[in-house]
Amino acid sequence: MEKTEEESEEAILRRLEESVNAHPDDPSLHFDLGLLLWEKGGEESNKEKAAEHFVISAKLNPQNGAAFRYLGHYYAGVSLDTQRGLKCYQRAVSLNPDDSQSGEALCDLLDREGKESLEVAVCREASEKSPRAFWAFRRLGYLQAHQNKWSEAVQSLQHGIRGYPACADLWQALGLAYQRLGRYTAAIKSYGRAIELDDTNVFALIESGTIFLMLGSFKEGVERFQQALKISPESVSAQYGLASGLLCLAKSCINLGAFKWGASLLEEASKVAKASTHLAENMSCIWKLHGDVQLAYAKCFPWMEEGQGLEFDLDTFNASILSWKQTCSLAAISARCSYQRALHLAPWEANIYADIAITTDLISSLTKSVGNNVNACQLSEKMALGALLLEGDNYEFWVALGCLSDHNALKQHALIRGLHLDVSLAVGWAYLGKLYREEGANQLARKAFDCARSIDPSLSLPWAGMSADFHARDPSPDEAFESCLRAVQILPLAEFQIGLAKLAVFSGHLSSSQVFGAIQQAVQHAPQYPESHNLYGLVCEARFDYQSAAAAYRLARYAISSFPGSVPKSHTRDISLNLARSLCKAGNALDALQECEDLKKEGMLDVEGLQIYAFSLWKLDKHDLALSVVRNLAVRVSAMEQTSVAAPVSFICRMLYYISGLDSAISSILKMPKDLFQNSGISFTVSSIHTLDIFNRLESVVSSSRCFLTSPEEIIGMHFLIALGKLVKHGTESCLGFQSGVAHLRKAIHMYPNSSLIRNLLGYLLLSSKEWNDTHVATRCCNVSTDRQNKEGLKSASEILGAGAVACYAVGNSNPKLSFPTCTYQCLNEPGAIQQLQKCLRREPWNHNIRYLLILNFLQKAREERFPHHLCIILERLISVSLSSEVYSKTDMCYQKFQLLLCASEISLYSGNKIGCINHAKNASKLLLPDAYLFFSHLQLCRAYAVEGDITNLQKEYLRCLELRTDYHIGWICLKLLESQYHVQTDLNILELSFKEYSKEENYSWNMWMARFYLVLGLISIWNQDFLSAEEFLAQACSSAGAESCLFLCHGAICMELARQSSGSQFLSLAVKSLTKAHKTSLVPLPVVSALLAQAEGSLGSKEKWERNLRLEWCSWPPEMRPAELFFQMHLLAKQSKSGPNTSAHVESYQSPEKWVLRAIHTNPSCIRYWKVLQKLIT
């Protein structure tokens, strides 16, 4: 085969030689022959012969650039005549600027000879001659980047990329140019394209990672450096970048409070930095980076995992503190060693001196050894002075000296010197203010803090200083709290966080999430301070987490026992009292009693301690001892100032009520001095007892004490108590006096229309009332327009809205799609309950009441929309999350769990999961609830077995419902529907008798429930084709309910059917009467009513009423829901309008009868009657 190819090449060569000999003046033949000899290669003589032919071809045709290109190859690569090669390449490029081979070869020769300027000129000339000289643009871009001409390089490289879009080096160079110009987003994109084309491009990975770190995208930067290290594990740049990225990412995590995560990132960063020191141990920047990582680790390492505090005793606490300090100290010592190594390599770097000073100061604060403290402080100052010796005009080093020095005079001098160098140095003013405040110069401190805050509002120390000075300046506690909160948000230091918690005690913000998160972080970073644990306990207690509060107070006592300084006894007493109180609230009265007895032995049981002592004894059923403690408390109260007696006197009244009963408490109150009741707090306690006394024996005391209620909040609270008193006093043994309470609140709400407390209580009472039409009013009382959820009262506004939307279908059905409103009390402007509940659940995902109400509202929405698939999935997820919560394992949550199980059963029923439906209903029936509730679980089982076709179990569950019975009318109505639909056998007509029996027991809404029962009986009669009985039942329903449009519609429809069957005019008259009432009583025009009324009037011979009612029917339907029959009826009107005068203004005249029929066919093409009518109209 090879021999054949050689023979063919030889034949071609001979033919070309013959042609050249025959036509010696043809340049193309010389070029072709030269090209064949050049490509043939082999001996050097072949290339010499080829060059001869190229020379002849160039002489014969001087415009042939290809000939000059090959001549350039010959002179540059074979004969090594560089000058001739340059000339030939220059000629080739001048003839064809797009010739990339000639251009690249020319530039390579020029580069080899160091003629960079000539190389730039050649590339620029070629690029100016031809926009497609991409090789010239690429080469020019590289040269301009080499010369740091970044703007010009960007333009050249962009042109070059058009010709070489897959060249990774071009994209990399473009990214570098963008980076040098500060266009970091464009640089990242260019580097990203280079990495896509060549995933082993380490330079692009490192540079893009560096840009990500500069832009604050630390995670992306870390990923780029990690990818670079996979390609080149020993790349010092990649390791340095990775360690820097991990350090930055860790600091961002620490600022968010994720200390454990930040510490783990710093551990990884330390390993990477340490590895890089082995590769480049003589680079000071790497040692400094390692020191920065270790210093950050020493500052952020948390004390313990969350929740471990419950398991501590004194020994383990001390051991954990020692272990934590050792870990932080070792990290700080390692940081100092790294800084010292960096300083050894670069002794001229002044900032390293400052780093060593800061690290030494941290080590001394962690070790706290008296012998070494003086030396450590002196070393810190010396290192700071060393930095100043190198850079005496650096104001940051003067501020560092001012912070690290222990001599106030030196501190002041250093800070003022720093301010001389830069008067706008906010941090200098802030630390100067701190120094003045420590020395008691509060006026100077305030001025310094004001200067710092005006220069840089984002500095934390001035805000903290302003809040710490609130006793002297007398701002409100809320203002001081907001200032300190601002400082904590800027810089989460433990000192600021502890101060925030202290201010929260005065301002009433202990339960806020900001304080909770801040004090948690303070415990992690200052576990050796008793105050951090004590404040954490107060915060947990305010959030009703009493177990965690008691554990925190115990840790505070452990910290006192191991605290090196002296702690006042009053502080120890306060912590013990806090512990006793939290134990008592947590239900551990025995331990609380022991704490109080220990305080009693030490003589530190004050008035608050006596209250806890008495309460613990009462909890342990030691009533006599509790009464004796209450008497001792009363003796102490008599010697107290009038402003401090409110809490102990209120406690005495409550304890007397708990132990001795209502009569004894009232008699004791009547014996008390009248001066004690001149206090709002005592007035509330006495009024609370008065609400339970039906004989009003405290009327005079309560009425006189109410004169001392001054603020609107106190007056509103008293109205709250008065309303509750009316519920008790005006009620019966089985029912509270809701109407009396509602009447009082309606008066109060006119005086205080913006009171959420009154509004929420009124809404709650209206929901609890058994009046038929109170539910729709309840939701109007609540104000949910504000962003934050108002929780004043027994229930929040959102909870009342959610419950009202479930109780009153009209409230939730604000935008009906598959049904039409008939309730005359429809709240058309009511905000969406589901949206409001979703907002509340996003704010408080732990609120199980909001989640429960959201499930019920979603179930109602799903029922209205015929259980669409997406709503069923939402409900299944919500119910699954709720039932998995530990909250529903408590006994008092059985009812909510019962409802959730029934909801899950309902969703399973409509989703086709019959087994799941039955299992959920059976689980609901096993709960410990009254029979009236369990009735509904067995009713659900009846429905499930009916769908499954299991008549035996259906009969069994039906009888079980009759045994359990219920006082909820809807249960009997549903059971009656099941009985009639599935022909359940029963010997006696127990169901009807039971329904009427329970209805007679209720004074409220008797007529409405009987009307609905008659409606059900009428529907059953219709199913049985007994229309006369159906008419009688529906007539009774209409007479019972009064103005219910849907009942009149049903009665009118059945009368129309009876008229059709018997052709009786009396039924037509009844139909007209009922349908007219349905039209008048409906809130909005109901579809079908006017159509039936038109048919009845037309049958009675009234053409005008027939036309008018058909036009009303057209307006009753939403445009998108109009049925085909309505269009068909409009064609009849259109036919009449052709013959009648003055009908052009009516809707039927806008289209011809044929078009109306066509619209009916378009809506329902399966109706043959429409097609027949259309055929008649056309023919």
Side-chain angles (χ1 to χ4, degrees), residues 631-652:
R631 293 189 190 98
N632 293 335
L633 178 61
V635 172
R636 292 203 187 183
V637 168
S638 60
M640 293 174 63
E641 295 182 2
Q642 186 69 23
T643 57
S644 306
V645 300
V649 170
S650 300
F651 177 78
I652 291 171

Side-chain angles (χ1 to χ4, degrees), residues 727-728 730-738 768 770 967-968 1001-1004:
L727 289 179
V728 176
H730 296 161
T732 62
E733 293 182 359
S734 60
C735 183
L736 294 172
F738 288 104
S768 305
K770 296 183 179 180
D967 52 358
Y968 294 97
E1001 291 177 0
E1002 301 290 343
N1003 295 324
Y1004 307 113

Side-chain angles (χ1 to χ4, degrees), residues 691-692 694 722-743 761 764-771 774 794 1002-1004:
T691 58
L692 304 173
I694 60 176
I722 293 172
L724 294 180
K726 290 183 178 294
L727 289 179
V728 176
K729 294 177 181 179
H730 296 161
T732 62
E733 293 182 359
S734 60
C735 183
L736 294 172
F738 288 104
Q739 297 307 314
S740 300
V742 168
L761 180 61
Y764 182 63
L765 295 184
L766 288 170
L767 277 179
S768 305
S769 172
K770 296 183 179 180
E771 283 293 333
D774 278 352
L794 301 176
E1002 301 290 343
N1003 295 324
Y1004 307 113

Side-chain angles (χ1 to χ4, degrees), residues 362-381:
L362 177 61
I363 294 171
S364 66
S365 66
L366 289 170
T367 54
K368 291 291 184 182
S369 58
V370 179
N372 294 331
N373 249 0
V374 177
N375 295 331
C377 293
Q378 291 178 354
L379 181 59
S380 304
E381 292 178 8

